Amino acid sequence: MNTSSTEKPRVVATIPVGPKPLGVAVDVHDHVFVANSGITTVSVINSVMNTVSATLNVGLHPESVATDPQFGVYVANSGDFTVSALNVFHTLVATIPVGGASGFPQLDVLRVAVDHIFGRAYVANRRLGRVSIIKISNNPPLLLPDLIEVQGPLGVAVDPVSHRVFVTCPDHNKVSYFDINTPQVIKNIFVGQHPTSIAIDSQKRRAYVANSGYKTVSMIDLATNSVANIDVGASPTNVAVDSHGRVYVTHPDGLVRVIDPSSASVTARIPVGSQPQGLAFEAHSNRVYVANRSDGTVSAIDLADGQ
């Protein structure tokens, strides 16, 4: 990273949200959505002001959130195994059961990602070992009968170029993927120990996987499926990529590590809040927003250099 001593990425705001924030997503309208897993809400942050502009009611223990520029916001609720579908005005339009035993606190069991082009949301259900598909272009959104069986899926991401869906399998140390035309796993790629989160760099044709059981992030070449492991320090939890291909990794020690893709090494360590979890890059503000689970806040990291 080409940063001077005054241009290094740094936290410029600490924003109180709800209890136990986990998942983070952004839209194209300067909104940052934060799933508050300790309650039944999603906090909406205005990235221009770095303040909470709205609180949305969703299902029990929201864990993951994804957005679509045309159809709205989708929240995976691990406490009742539902997906809350909200339109672009943030009004709840459907609550979609995806299967699983509800009624008690559960985490790390339900994640969601969206394919913007084909108007679909993919819901990784670790409890049932499957990925469900929701047709978000339908009004109201419709759960499709197709189910993709995957061994203990958790993290999920869509490659917007190939439209392949990549899913981490923490208990099997692998990433599985399938595509829109194939209702079954096409390929398994073995990565590090206990992979939890995955992010796609569609420009550089790479996927990055946080291996929470060890101290690496696996970098997958999407053209060859080859894997290179990057040492980032113990227990990486979640991962995100900015518009320049730099990679941001949360760790339970309260730091976000930054990986430079050209050197495949950690080039910065940024202190954030307590037990940081999900994070997302917001392009308009050139910031990364990090959910700090243990202190109920979100850290806004100004990337400063933008090079």
Side-chain angles (χ1 to χ4, degrees), residues 146-164:
D146 299 324
L147 296 170
I148 295 88
E149 294 184 0
V150 183
Q151 292 180 311
L154 182 58
V156 57
V158 177
D159 175 14
V161 175
S162 68
H163 302 284
R164 286 177 171 170

Side-chain angles (χ1 to χ4, degrees), residues 5-304:
S5 60
T6 60
E7 293 180 324
K8 292 181 179 179
R10 66 199 187 281
V11 172
V12 294
T14 300
I15 307 157
V17 288
K20 299 181 180 178
L22 282 182
V24 184
V26 303
D27 68 8
V28 295
H29 302 293
D30 302 316
H31 296 130
V32 181
F33 300 88
V34 184
N36 300 311
S37 69
I39 196 169
T40 58
T41 66
V42 168
S43 296
V44 185
I45 296 171
N46 181 317
S47 65
V48 176
M49 303 299 295
N50 274 337
T51 57
V52 172
S53 59
T55 301
L56 311 176
N57 292 314
V58 291
L60 182 64
H61 301 302
E63 179 175 359
S64 175
V65 58
T67 67
D68 181 273
Q70 183 176 359
F71 300 113
V73 183
Y74 304 88
V75 184
N77 307 302
S78 63
D80 55 16
F81 285 88
T82 64
V83 171
S84 298
L86 302 99
N87 63 21
V88 293
F89 303 106
H90 305 163
T91 300
L92 183 68
V93 295
T95 299
I96 306 164
V98 293
S102 60
F104 54 93
Q106 304 177 77
L107 293 176
D108 285 344
V109 293
L110 215 63
R111 304 279 176 89
V112 61
V114 165
D115 186 325
H116 307 299
I117 300 299
F118 287 98
R120 293 186 175 191
Y122 295 91
V123 186
N125 190 326
R126 189 176 181 189
R127 179 74 64 182
L128 297 184
R130 70 192 192 194
V131 175
S132 299
I133 305 172
I134 299 172
K135 187 178 180 181
I136 62 176
S137 57
N138 197 74
N139 188 18
L142 175 68
L143 182 68
L144 298 178
D146 299 324
L147 296 170
I148 295 88
E149 294 184 0
V150 183
Q151 292 180 311
L154 182 58
V156 57
V158 177
D159 175 14
V161 175
S162 68
H163 302 284
R164 286 177 171 170
V165 182
F166 292 80
V167 185
T168 65
C169 304
D171 303 317
H172 302 276
N173 299 335
K174 67 183 181 181
V175 170
S176 299
Y177 70 76
F178 58 90
D179 65 30
I180 190 171
N181 298 313
T182 308
Q184 61 186 11
V185 170
I186 297 173
K187 182 76 174 180
N188 292 307
I189 305 169
F190 288 92
V191 289
Q193 296 177 14
H194 205 78
T196 51
S197 174
I198 183 167
I200 305 293
D201 184 342
S202 60
Q203 295 183 8
K204 290 185 170 60
R205 310 303 301 136
R206 293 171 179 169
Y208 293 91
V209 182
N211 301 311
S212 66
Y214 191 47
K215 58 176 184 177
T216 61
V217 166
S218 292
M219 181 175 66
I220 302 172
D221 186 317
L222 296 182
T224 65
N225 290 336
S226 61
V227 177
N229 290 314
I230 304 167
D231 190 335
V232 295
S235 304
T237 308
N238 284 271
V239 61
V241 181
D242 71 14
S243 57
H244 301 284
R246 288 171 300 216
V247 184
Y248 302 82
V249 189
T250 54
H251 293 257
D253 61 2
L255 294 177
V256 170
R257 269 83 168 176
V258 185
I259 299 172
D260 182 343
S262 61
S263 63
S265 62
V266 172
T267 56
R269 294 166 177 81
I270 308 166
V272 288
S274 179
Q275 200 178 356
Q277 295 283 324
L279 70 172
F281 170 67
E282 203 286 311
H284 292 167
S285 62
N286 195 35
R287 295 180 185 135
V288 169
Y289 287 83
V290 184
N292 303 306
R293 181 185 176 195
S294 290
D295 58 21
T297 65
V298 168
S299 297
I301 301 173
D302 190 339
L303 304 187

